[in-house]
Amino acid sequence: MTFKKLLLGAVALSAVATATAAQADKPEVFRVGIIGGENEADRLRNYQCIIDQLPKAIGVKEVKLFPAADYDGVIQGLLGGTLDYAELGASGYAKIYLTKEDAVEPILTTEQTDGSTGYYSIMVARKDSGIKTIADMKGKKLGFADPDSTSGYLIPVTSLPKDLDGGTVKDYFSETGFGGGHENLVLAVKDGKFDAGTTFGSGVGSFDEGYTSGNLRKMVDKGLIDMKDFTEVWKSPLIPNGPIVIRTAIDADLKAKFKAYMLDLPKTDPECFASTMGGDFKSYIEVNKDFYQPVIDARKSQIGQ
């Protein structure tokens, strides 16, 4: 074999090795993004068990949490490759997919206690406001949670029009705005900054208890609100539960270990499972992009990306 052939062969092998290394990214520090809208100290505390358990489970030296001020902070981190895993709403994942479809993989979602894999956008108002139905909201101020929230924005703006006597969201309400995340939005309704606001809940169990899971239930459990002060004005059609996503470039073996850890978590550590997910769920189940295609299509149609 000539020197030239040897050289070309070495170059080819080097290129393959480089490509393989790029595809098989095994980080020593596993970076977890946490979407905003809830008190940061609470978010960090809820994920402490993940910091403690995950290094041994998936073979990394350290797990670091990166709480973002809003949804987009985590979305941009995943798009830029500076985060490895996050729990998103369906609309947040749709934004990533429409921007860079191979950035992350949706691998798991939660199953409700009744076996369903969806939840609801729920519009709440103060009970003493006299607002009981969507008709009572005509000409009043409506608050949304976050522009990248599925239940707090995308689904209400796409589903509400059919319940507004043929009107549009823009024309039906006197004003709309954002509350800075679900928790802040409900507190803004409580404080009278909005006449009503859109948040989320499982729709399973009793509204008087904040349902079995979701933002309302978390706020009740933390003592931030009493459901007797609120009324349910509107509930959306069923929304697919948001995905757990992992960066596509992560090493396949690490992905498999991470998925196995998460799938086992409801059995191995129910308290950690409930803490990270924020309520009473049955389990995780496996999903892929197809599960979220309706939300991807809705976001593309309504927002563009």
Side-chain angles (χ1 to χ4, degrees):
M1 185 179 291
T2 67
F3 176 76
K4 183 177 181 181
K5 286 183 178 179
L6 284 169
L7 181 60
L8 289 173
V11 170
L13 285 172
S14 176
V16 170
T18 301
T20 301
Q23 293 169 3
D25 188 350
K26 296 187 74 171
E28 292 187 350
V29 177
F30 195 67
R31 303 157 300 179
V32 180
I34 308 177
I35 58 177
E38 184 181 3
N39 178 276
E40 183 172 315
D42 291 337
R43 286 183 282 159
L44 294 174
R45 182 170 54 253
N46 291 341
Y47 275 79
Q48 184 59 47
C49 54
I50 296 291
I51 293 179
D52 296 338
Q53 298 175 16
L54 205 52
K56 182 179 179 181
I58 66 175
V60 297
K61 288 185 177 180
E62 186 180 3
V63 173
K64 286 188 176 181
L65 302 182
F66 293 88
D70 56 17
Y71 282 51
D72 196 53
V74 169
I75 289 169
Q76 295 307 320
L78 291 166
L79 281 170
T82 59
L83 295 174
D84 301 311
Y85 140 62
E87 295 162 12
L88 301 173
S91 183
Y93 165 65
K95 181 176 182 177
I96 292 174
Y97 180 84
L98 291 168
T99 304
K100 185 181 179 183
E101 64 180 62
D102 62 346
V104 299
E105 299 174 17
I107 56 172
L108 300 170
T109 193
T110 46
E111 184 179 18
Q112 308 286 9
T113 55
D114 67 348
S116 68
T117 54
Y119 68 111
Y120 297 89
S121 172
I122 297 167
M123 186 187 298
V124 295
R126 284 174 55 133
K127 186 168 287 187
D128 62 9
S129 69
I131 298 170
K132 297 180 179 180
T133 68
I134 200 70
D136 297 328
M137 275 296 294
K138 189 170 185 178
K140 292 187 167 56
K141 187 175 181 180
L142 175 64
F144 297 115
D146 185 283
D148 292 313
S149 170
T150 314
S151 59
Y153 181 63
L154 179 63
I155 294 304
V157 297
T158 54
S159 298
L160 269 171
K162 70 178 185 296
D163 298 322
L164 303 182
D165 299 327
T168 66
V169 169
K170 181 179 180 180
D171 295 334
Y172 194 84
F173 304 103
S174 63
E175 185 180 347
T176 61
F178 292 101
H182 286 277
E183 187 174 283
N184 291 335
L185 182 276
V186 174
L187 292 176
V189 172
K190 180 182 176 182
D191 293 340
K193 296 176 182 177
F194 295 105
D195 295 301
T198 54
T199 187
F200 68 97
S202 66
V204 179
S206 171
F207 173 80
D208 294 339
E209 297 175 355
Y211 294 119
T212 57
S213 64
N215 180 58
L216 294 171
R217 180 55 180 266
K218 287 195 291 185
M219 294 183 73
V220 168
D221 289 345
K222 290 193 289 187
L224 294 175
I225 58 172
D226 188 327
M227 292 306 297
K228 71 180 182 181
D229 297 328
F230 294 89
T231 187
E232 182 175 292
V233 177
W234 174 85
K235 184 190 290 185
S236 74
L238 192 68
I239 305 167
N241 283 343
I244 287 176
V245 302
I246 192 166
R247 189 161 54 88
T248 302
I250 291 285
D251 172 70
D253 181 59
L254 193 153
K255 284 182 191 175
K257 289 178 178 177
F258 174 74
K259 182 185 284 189
Y261 164 80
M262 296 299 281
L263 282 170
D264 288 343
L265 190 61
K267 296 177 183 177
T268 59
D269 194 339
E271 289 186 8
C272 182
F273 175 56
S275 175
T276 55
M277 296 313 302
D280 188 10
F281 292 90
K282 183 178 179 181
S283 64
Y284 287 120
I285 63 166
E286 296 185 50
V287 292
N288 56 32
K289 188 268 293 186
D290 294 341
F291 186 73
Y292 297 101
Q293 192 62 53
V295 179
I296 293 170
D297 294 341
R299 178 158 186 134
K300 185 175 182 180
S301 174
Q302 180 67 34
I303 302 175
Q305 68 172 31

